[in-house]
Amino acid sequence: MATKHQGNQIVKAASATVRSTDEETLNITPDTHRLVLALAEVHQHQGKPKDAGEELKQLYQRNRGDVIVRLSLAELLLENFGGKRNHQTVIRLAKGINNASELHAALLLCKAEALRKLGLLTAARDTLTATLRRKKNRSDELLQALRYERILVYEELGEQKRMRQELEKLYADSPDYEDVAQRLELDP
């Protein structure tokens, strides 16, 4: 916390940096929206996903267009809560999202995962393929996650040859990613 003197007034300005997603960090300033988002992240890291979910739902109700809130809520639902209803909610959170930024692409990844978990494999594949068309200004981690999710979709579609090709490409770029080496039977 920093204190600044302005004339006879003392202005206190607090700020903190909080990781909101694997791709983004937030600089938190004393604004209710950001503070509630930070609180939700703290709850999630403390193993209190229900509390985090309540805060994120409140933020989403106040500002449905906030991509960070939508992404945080989608990730929370996928990581901590299963079920058809939550997967459908993730898909709704991604409604109208295009591939404009890294955050948008991450939300599309969540959408594809939810589609896969609902058994909507062609829609999941198409979402991932479209998202992977734009690589500029996308982190390697996000691109790897998109590619891996598409591999899982190919597997569930029964497209073994295509799955193997994509596994080999991902291994060539990132040999330590997830269980790629194991899936290719390259582990000792």
Side-chain angles (χ1 to χ4, degrees):
M1 181 182 302
T3 303
K4 299 178 186 175
H5 296 278
Q6 291 184 337
N8 292 335
Q9 296 180 338
I10 296 177
V11 178
K12 292 183 179 181
S15 68
T17 301
V18 176
R19 180 171 291 288
S20 64
T21 69
D22 291 340
E23 294 80 29
E24 288 291 319
T25 57
L26 299 172
N27 187 22
I28 304 300
T29 55
D31 138 317
T32 305
H33 180 81
R34 292 184 187 274
L35 289 173
V36 173
L37 185 57
L39 181 60
E41 293 300 325
V42 168
H43 280 139
Q44 190 170 357
H45 291 291
Q46 290 178 335
K48 300 177 183 175
K50 288 183 181 180
D51 293 339
E54 289 305 314
E55 276 119 20
L56 290 171
K57 286 176 189 176
Q58 288 175 19
L59 286 175
Y60 177 68
Q61 292 303 321
R62 284 187 231 147
N63 185 356
R64 293 179 180 267
D66 188 323
V67 177
I68 291 175
V69 172
R70 291 164 80 174
L71 175 59
S72 295
L73 185 53
E75 287 179 337
L76 179 76
L77 290 171
L78 287 170
E79 291 171 12
N80 296 284
F81 304 99
K84 185 177 179 178
R85 175 185 272 171
N86 287 319
H87 294 142
Q88 291 170 330
T89 298
V90 170
I91 294 166
R92 279 194 222 61
L93 287 167
K95 183 178 180 186
I97 291 294
N98 57 27
N99 194 7
S101 72
E102 176 111 350
L103 289 172
H104 292 84
L107 186 51
L108 290 169
L109 171 60
C110 291
K111 175 184 178 180
E113 183 179 339
L115 287 165
R116 177 178 56 83
K117 289 180 176 182
L118 288 171
L120 304 172
L121 303 175
T122 303
R125 181 197 61 210
D126 293 349
T127 298
L128 292 162
T129 299
T131 305
L132 280 162
R133 284 191 186 116
R134 178 173 276 170
K135 293 180 177 70
K136 187 177 181 181
N137 298 322
R138 303 295 183 265
S139 68
D140 289 340
E141 294 82 15
L142 177 60
L143 293 172
Q144 290 164 353
L146 287 161
R147 291 169 68 191
Y148 187 78
E149 181 64 29
R150 190 167 62 177
I151 287 167
L152 297 177
V153 171
Y154 284 137
E155 180 178 43
E156 289 191 31
L157 282 168
E159 295 182 23
Q160 298 303 314
K161 183 177 178 182
R162 185 65 190 208
M163 181 190 81
R164 174 78 187 195
Q165 290 171 340
E166 294 299 317
L167 276 170
E168 288 178 11
K169 290 178 191 176
L170 185 54
Y171 180 82
D173 291 341
S174 308
D176 297 323
Y177 190 79
E178 295 287 337
D179 63 348
V180 172
Q182 180 183 349
R183 285 173 168 273
L184 290 169
E185 300 174 356
L186 298 175
D187 279 344

